[in-house]
Amino acid sequence: MAVPEDKPMTFWDHLDALRAVILRILAVALIGFIAAFCFKEPLFRLVLAPSRSDFILYRWIAGISGLIGLDAGRLQNFKVELFSTALTAQFMIHMKMAFYTSLVIILPYTLYLLYGFVSPALHTGERRSSTKVIVWSYILFMLGVVLDYLVIFPLAFRFLGTYQVSADVPNVITLESYTDTLITLTLMMGILFELPVLSWFLARLGVIDAPFMKKYRRHAVVAILAVAAVITPTTDVFTLLIVSLPIYLLYELSIGIVRRTGRQDSITGLSS
């Protein structure tokens, strides 16, 4: 039974609306999962691309190395074998990758449904700000995902996959270890790329400002290294540094955003 537009919605009406939104999200997630599961070859061609020597980043590195006189062939050509050691490992990994791929694919639609659920309770200005926040949150998340896939994970895999303490000890890397590292780093980098949005939100609340962020920059560096150490599946310094660097750059970007937010709030206050 539809609720009249001029009649306030009760708690149970809101609960029914939320249930409808959740059911739609689950239905679309299931469709996305089935689609990703069915397209196994394209999916794993994408997933396994960083494990091959012809990956785009490795070709760029080889090209730059050739320009500066280094042995480009030696840098580009490498081989790391991936193994599956359990009977059900490949099927379960297929399920897992299809699930996470579905989450990324349906994320815009999920945000759209959630925004449609909460937008009636917002004023016009709040709706405009919320729309910008949602759009930029998605853009930043995807930038983190793309950066990890194209740069951070391939560099980490290339370094760790080919590192040997002795030529007598070959690297045997399982497919599960490969995909778990890829998923963890990708999702964590997507989440950490929300730092500018979080900083903007805290600045609007008056919790932080640009001088505060500058004053505690050294503390932030330590915190960034600690967070990178926690989210990094490996314990090597190389991976820690390549994960920490983009987060630190985002922190510096956040200082500029917070400074601009403070100026806009001051102008608004003076005009009012």
Side-chain angles (χ1 to χ4, degrees):
M1 180 177 179
V3 178
E5 294 183 0
D6 56 346
K7 182 180 179 181
M9 294 181 64
T10 65
F11 170 79
W12 299 110
D13 293 331
H14 286 291
L15 195 61
D16 288 338
L18 179 60
R19 182 180 62 180
V21 169
I22 294 175
L23 289 176
R24 288 183 183 180
I25 293 174
L26 291 177
V28 174
L30 179 61
I31 294 173
F33 171 79
I34 295 173
F37 188 84
C38 292
F39 288 94
K40 180 179 68 172
E41 291 188 7
L43 173 62
F44 278 90
R45 190 180 304 122
L46 186 68
V47 170
L48 299 177
S51 68
R52 303 188 181 99
S53 60
D54 61 348
F55 187 64
I56 182 171
L57 178 67
Y58 307 146
R59 288 190 277 115
W60 287 351
I61 293 175
I64 295 173
S65 301
L67 291 176
I68 61 178
L70 298 177
D71 187 357
R74 179 177 176 272
L75 291 174
Q76 184 177 4
N77 295 326
F78 77 101
K79 185 177 182 181
V80 178
E81 295 288 346
L82 299 178
F83 294 87
S84 178
T85 58
L87 180 62
T88 61
Q90 295 204 42
F91 177 76
M92 296 306 298
I93 290 171
H94 185 190
M95 296 274 289
K96 184 189 301 183
M97 294 306 304
F99 171 75
Y100 284 106
T101 302
S102 174
L103 291 183
V104 174
I105 291 174
I106 71 166
L107 183 58
Y109 184 68
T110 301
L111 294 175
Y112 170 77
L113 289 179
L114 293 176
Y115 174 74
F117 175 74
V118 302
S119 61
L122 303 176
H123 300 295
T124 302
E126 293 174 335
R127 291 179 184 176
R128 190 179 301 112
S129 298
S130 299
T131 302
K132 292 180 180 179
V133 169
I134 291 174
V135 171
W136 277 110
S137 296
Y138 177 71
I139 292 174
L140 289 171
F141 179 84
M142 292 308 299
L143 283 175
V145 169
V146 172
L147 177 66
D148 179 75
Y149 176 78
L150 291 178
V151 180
I152 295 177
F153 176 75
L155 288 177
F157 176 79
R158 173 69 180 268
F159 174 76
L160 298 174
T162 58
Y163 185 85
Q164 291 179 280
V165 295
S166 171
D168 297 329
V169 185
N171 286 325
V172 179
I173 302 174
T174 64
L175 180 61
E176 184 177 9
S177 173
Y178 176 90
T179 54
D180 284 349
T181 305
L182 174 61
I183 291 172
T184 301
L185 281 179
T186 301
L187 292 180
M188 290 299 101
M189 289 305 300
I191 294 172
L192 289 172
F193 261 61
E194 302 298 326
L195 179 60
V197 175
L198 177 62
S199 300
W200 172 85
F201 182 73
L202 293 176
R204 291 298 300 269
L205 293 178
V207 177
I208 61 174
D209 55 18
F212 174 86
M213 296 183 70
K214 289 181 178 180
K215 179 180 179 181
Y216 291 97
R217 181 184 275 117
R218 294 182 180 179
H219 300 77
V221 171
V222 175
I224 288 171
L225 291 173
V227 171
V230 171
I231 69 171
T232 305
T234 59
T235 57
D236 64 289
V237 177
F238 179 79
T239 306
L240 177 66
L241 291 178
I242 63 175
V243 171
S244 301
L245 179 60
I247 303 175
Y248 173 74
L249 295 178
L250 284 174
Y251 183 84
E252 294 295 333
L253 174 63
S254 299
I255 294 177
I257 294 174
V258 169
R259 182 187 300 112
R260 183 177 179 182
T261 302
R263 290 175 181 174
Q264 291 178 345
D265 290 344
S266 299
I267 294 173
T268 303
L270 290 174
S271 62
S272 60

